[in-house]
Amino acid sequence: MGAPPARPEPEVGGAAADGTEAGRPLLSFALATTMEQVQAHSGAVYLMAADEPVLEMAVMAGLPRAFAAPWERIGLSAPIPVAEAVRERRLVWVGGEEEMARRYPRIAVVLPYPFALAAVPVATADTVYGAMYVTWPGAHPTVLSDREREALTSAGDRLAIRLARAARQNRSPRSEPDLLATPPSGLAGTLGTVEAARMVGRLPYGLVSLDLNGRVTFANAAAAELLDVAVDELLGAQPWVSVPWLNDPMYEDRYRAALLSQHVTSFVALKPPGDWLSFRMYPSTSGLTTRISRARAVAEIVGAAPRADSAAAPRLVTISQVLSLAGALTEAVGVQDVVQLVADEVAPAVGSQALVVLGSRGGRLHVLGHRGYADPHVVEQFDGLPLSERTPGTHVLNTGVPAFFESRQQLERLYPDRPGTPDSFAAWAYLPLIASGRPVGTCVLAYADPHVFPADERAVLTSLGGMVAQALERALLYDAKNQLAHGLQAALLPHSLTPPPGVEAAARYLPAMHGMEIGGDFYDLVPTRPLAAAVIGDVQGHNVTAAGLMGQIRTGVRAFTTVGQAPEEVMRSTNRLLIDSGADLFASCLYLRLDPERGRAVMSRAGHPPPLLRRPDGRVKVLDLAGGPLLGIDADATYPTTEVSLAPGSVLALYTDGLVESPGVDIEDALVDLGELLAENGDQPLDRLADTLVRHSAAAQERVDDVAVLLLRARPDG
């Protein structure tokens, strides 16, 4: 590898408390030092935003910031290594291209090149200041060495200590100039001697030197002839800007691939009207050298070449930002996810300072979300506005035609009767969000200053609106299904628990994290006299059918209990009910009859996980209950009962398998962990204990299955 980025020279000033010069750029110095220690190729430092859970890039080194444009601002919840490093307070290592694609597909879509990355938090024991990452070319081993790991972790800790010291001295950290290699001032400095420059000038093929930003710092006469552009027009410009037929994202991508991977990269391009040129790029940490020659044997790829008369790609949004946005929108689940993504990625890219996303329902305009408005009432006054009102928002939503207003005067001239918006913005773009051939909403982008919208910018904004529309359509459908699922689940589960005298009760239900968030887990407490009953169960499946069958089972258990059936009879009757329904689904179930006056409970089990009993002395036991098969399998199955002592102060924990079962976790180990959690926290109020069990169970946190928990405590004074 070449030399790492040069350390920034200290500014004039006295010595600081940590031994560095007081005026030295703190972040740049820390980043450059770290990159030198681990021989990294590039890197960046992020700082926490002052008033929101967002990491903002403060300085970058080794590569142009454009490479990281989609991630200049990162939400702490984003699936990005630096955010993960902060969330989990640990070093995050990505050993190569395949691992990046597997763990962080959004990054791999934008940067599909071979490189390795490590991210570390910049945090003290009680304060998070930000994060740092560094990258290496693809030749780096897939395993991070102990020396590198120690150096990176220590670098993050040292920077955090310095930032803490600066905070105590009321010196707030701020963004610093990026660290990029400075191109030499003259040809002799680039090539070593005047004779070397003459030699390069005599070469029969073209040589072009590019800095890290892709700007031409040297071109010989052969390169100018092959590109058909004068040398003075090439110098200081990017080739895809100064050479019209190279203005294609594919060619710029090759430059990015060479710099990030530090691998020799090549491509061929068609020079109109029919000449093919070969470009071979030799990268280093200070830029790259490109050899240009005439290509041979390319007739077979003429059909795949870009057209000579193709229009120049618009530069309003880079290809990396479009790819990043596309990847991010595929991950958006609900409407608010879409609004946040537009605020984080679309608005900054196009220079907008605020946005509103509008939809319609019942013939009226509805505000689905907004960002950037200091006073939310400015936006909310449009919520509920009839679609028949003449406003730009309703017009675009009704017609599907975009509208652009370059100044407030233009907007007020076209819509004089529109409600006033004292929002201080001066230009607006109203973009129709059209999906499946119909408008699903409108995205309003607001600009702080008057803004001209040329034709190419309008085309880009409209295209971005199409991408957002697809995500919004899915999000609206998801939110509707999710609301339906929650309503159905709430209707099928008990609204409250009425325990018998001498017993406390608390319950929790959590849906699985995937799917419709509706399932077949259920619980109930039946306050019959003289003995109350409790039940918990799990119907196979996570859909409306499972939920409906769960409702039937719960109703059946209540009915069989109310008519006075014994526990084993309740289970047999419920089993026959499930078989007679013809649903071809199975269910686990645990039923118990409570007798707090005698300090006991009689239980019957059908393939359900065993309950836990915490005795008054704090010891926890997994109850080994007799039982029968799952409900719905055998019409003649029997379900024997077991009597369990329930002394005053005892806690009985009933749960479904979602609390203890998760991929890669042994069920016995999970039960031991749950028992220890119950033993340590069993003296808490029952509602708090229920929250503790579902919050700290590893399986419940991942929630590949629904989770239901029912806790019963025999009162000491009962």
Side-chain angles (χ1 to χ4, degrees):
M1 291 183 59
R7 297 187 184 182
E9 289 297 324
E11 299 172 6
V12 177
D18 61 0
T20 65
E21 288 83 353
R24 185 190 297 274
L26 176 60
L27 305 180
S28 304
F29 175 75
L31 179 59
T33 302
T34 304
M35 291 172 58
E36 183 175 358
Q37 287 178 334
V38 298
Q39 290 295 289
H41 170 217
S42 70
V45 175
Y46 286 81
L47 295 176
M48 285 290 298
D51 54 355
E52 53 185 332
V54 170
L55 291 167
E56 297 179 328
M57 184 181 290
V59 64
M60 187 171 180
L63 288 174
R65 185 169 290 223
F67 277 47
W71 307 289
E72 288 202 62
R73 282 173 50 88
I74 300 173
L76 281 186
S77 60
I80 303 295
V82 288
E84 185 174 316
V86 171
R87 290 197 305 270
E88 301 184 7
R89 294 290 193 98
R90 66 175 180 86
L91 184 149
V92 175
W93 164 248
V94 185
E97 185 177 11
E98 293 184 3
E99 187 177 359
M100 184 69 76
R102 184 178 69 254
R103 294 172 55 191
Y104 306 101
R106 283 180 58 181
I107 295 179
V109 167
V110 180
L111 301 174
Y113 317 123
F115 69 97
L117 179 147
V120 293
V122 177
T124 60
D126 55 359
T127 305
V128 174
Y129 293 97
M132 177 192 302
Y133 81 79
V134 295
T135 70
W136 295 264
H140 189 282
T142 57
V143 177
L144 193 66
S145 70
D146 291 340
R147 183 192 67 80
E148 290 170 326
R149 185 177 295 273
E150 172 62 26
L152 290 168
T153 304
S154 298
D157 293 342
R158 286 195 304 272
L159 180 55
I161 292 172
R162 289 168 179 163
L163 290 173
R165 181 178 296 120
R168 290 194 297 270
Q169 298 171 353
N170 294 321
R171 293 187 292 118
S172 300
R174 61 188 64 187
S175 296
E176 298 173 6
D178 291 345
L179 304 178
L180 290 177
T182 303
S185 58
L187 186 61
T190 303
L191 300 176
T193 67
V194 174
E195 183 55 36
R198 292 172 179 167
M199 178 191 71
V200 170
R202 292 192 292 266
L203 291 175
Y205 49 81
L207 278 183
V208 174
S209 179
L210 306 179
D211 65 14
L212 291 177
N213 285 306
R215 296 186 295 254
V216 176
T217 58
F218 170 79
N220 66 357
E225 181 180 354
L226 288 168
L227 297 175
D228 200 18
V229 177
V231 170
D232 58 353
E233 294 181 25
L234 289 171
L235 293 177
Q238 296 169 321
W240 44 90
V241 174
S242 59
V243 184
W245 46 271
L246 285 178
N247 193 344
D248 188 286
M250 180 181 69
Y251 305 141
E252 184 179 352
D253 177 74
R254 295 297 81 205
Y255 141 79
R256 290 154 53 87
L259 278 186
L260 193 55
S261 67
Q262 291 291 289
H263 289 174
V264 177
T265 306
S266 60
F267 64 89
V268 293
L270 176 63
K271 172 188 172 184
D275 293 334
W276 287 92
L277 299 182
S278 171
F279 295 77
R280 191 166 181 83
M281 297 179 171
Y282 300 86
S284 74
T285 56
S286 60
L288 52 82
T289 299
T290 303
R291 171 177 167 165
I292 308 172
S293 60
R294 298 190 183 278
R296 298 183 299 271
V298 294
E300 66 273 13
I301 64 172
V302 169
R307 292 174 54 89
D309 59 351
S310 61
R315 293 290 166 184
L316 178 67
V317 180
T318 65
I319 186 66
S320 63
Q321 288 170 309
V322 172
L323 290 171
S324 177
L325 176 62
L329 288 173
T330 62
E331 300 172 8
V333 177
V335 170
Q336 293 309 310
D337 294 334
V338 175
V339 174
Q340 191 62 51
L341 281 168
V342 175
D344 290 345
E345 305 207 22
V346 176
V350 300
S352 170
Q353 285 73 45
L355 68 96
V356 183
V357 178
L358 303 170
S360 65
R361 187 173 62 251
R364 292 183 177 273
L365 197 68
H366 286 277
V367 177
L368 301 178
H370 59 86
R371 299 290 188 275
Y373 287 85
D375 183 3
H377 297 294
V378 170
V379 178
E380 292 165 1
Q381 66 174 317
F382 293 97
D383 196 64
L385 196 69
L387 293 182
S388 56
E389 289 282 341
R390 188 174 181 273
T391 68
T394 55
H395 178 76
V396 170
L397 191 58
N398 287 327
T399 64
V401 178
F404 300 92
F405 304 97
E406 299 178 351
S407 66
R408 179 176 292 276
Q409 291 76 14
Q410 188 180 81
L411 176 64
E412 293 175 348
R413 184 174 65 253
L414 294 175
Y415 292 92
D417 300 327
R418 159 183 173 274
T421 55
D423 53 19
S424 75
F425 292 108
W428 296 265
Y430 284 76
L431 308 176
L433 304 180
I434 300 174
S436 304
R438 64 181 183 86
V440 296
T442 300
C443 179
V444 185
L445 298 172
Y447 297 78
D449 300 310
H451 186 88
V452 176
F453 297 95
D456 58 345
E457 182 170 341
R458 296 185 183 209
V460 171
L461 290 172
T462 304
S463 298
L464 290 174
M467 297 173 61
V468 174
Q470 297 295 327
L472 182 61
E473 183 183 43
R474 294 192 304 269
L476 289 167
L477 181 61
Y478 173 84
D479 283 352
K481 288 184 176 180
N482 195 43
Q483 186 176 6
L484 173 64
H486 279 291
L488 178 59
Q489 194 81 55
L492 293 174
L493 291 173
H495 297 289
S496 61
L497 299 175
T498 308
V503 174
E504 298 177 31
R508 294 292 183 270
Y509 172 83
L510 296 175
M513 288 184 170
H514 303 284
M516 278 191 64
E517 296 195 1
I518 186 170
D521 287 20
F522 67 96
Y523 60 86
D524 202 0
L525 192 58
V526 188
T528 54
R529 298 302 179 106
L531 304 179
V535 63
I536 192 167
D538 181 3
V539 178
Q540 173 191 15
H542 304 90
N543 49 40
V544 174
T545 302
L549 193 59
M550 172 266 281
Q552 295 181 45
I553 293 176
R554 178 174 162 249
T555 301
V557 168
R558 272 189 164 258
F560 301 139
T561 300
T562 302
V563 300
Q565 289 188 357
E568 62 270 23
E569 286 297 324
V570 171
M571 294 293 277
R572 281 201 295 268
S573 299
T574 306
N575 180 47
R576 288 192 294 270
L577 173 67
L578 185 55
I579 291 175
D580 292 343
S581 71
D584 294 328
L585 293 177
F586 309 133
S588 69
C589 189
L590 176 64
Y591 179 90
L592 59 111
R593 192 66 56 83
L594 291 165
D595 189 352
E597 291 187 2
R598 298 175 58 187
R600 69 169 194 164
V602 179
M603 305 186 184
S604 183
R605 186 164 68 105
H608 199 80
L612 301 182
L613 177 65
R614 184 186 189 272
R615 296 190 176 97
D617 59 7
R619 291 182 299 166
V620 174
K621 178 181 180 181
V622 180
L623 298 180
D624 184 16
L625 305 179
L630 292 167
L631 302 178
I633 294 179
D634 181 4
D636 298 323
T638 60
Y639 299 92
T641 59
T642 302
E643 183 174 311
V644 175
S645 174
L646 199 60
S650 299
V651 177
L652 194 60
L654 317 178
Y655 55 91
T656 56
D657 54 9
L659 188 68
V660 292
E661 291 186 1
S662 61
V665 178
D666 183 81
I667 185 65
E668 298 296 332
D669 294 338
L671 280 176
V672 170
D673 293 341
L674 183 62
E676 292 176 351
L677 198 59
L678 182 60
E680 294 171 3
N681 299 276
D683 292 328
Q684 294 180 347
L686 218 53
D687 277 312
R688 188 184 304 170
L689 176 59
D691 290 334
T692 299
L693 294 185
V694 298
R695 184 186 308 118
H696 293 289
S697 166
Q701 290 174 22
E702 297 178 5
R703 295 219 305 278
V704 296
D705 197 1
D706 307 317
V707 174
V709 175
L710 177 61
L711 302 180
L712 304 169
R713 172 182 282 151
R715 291 177 180 169
D717 58 352

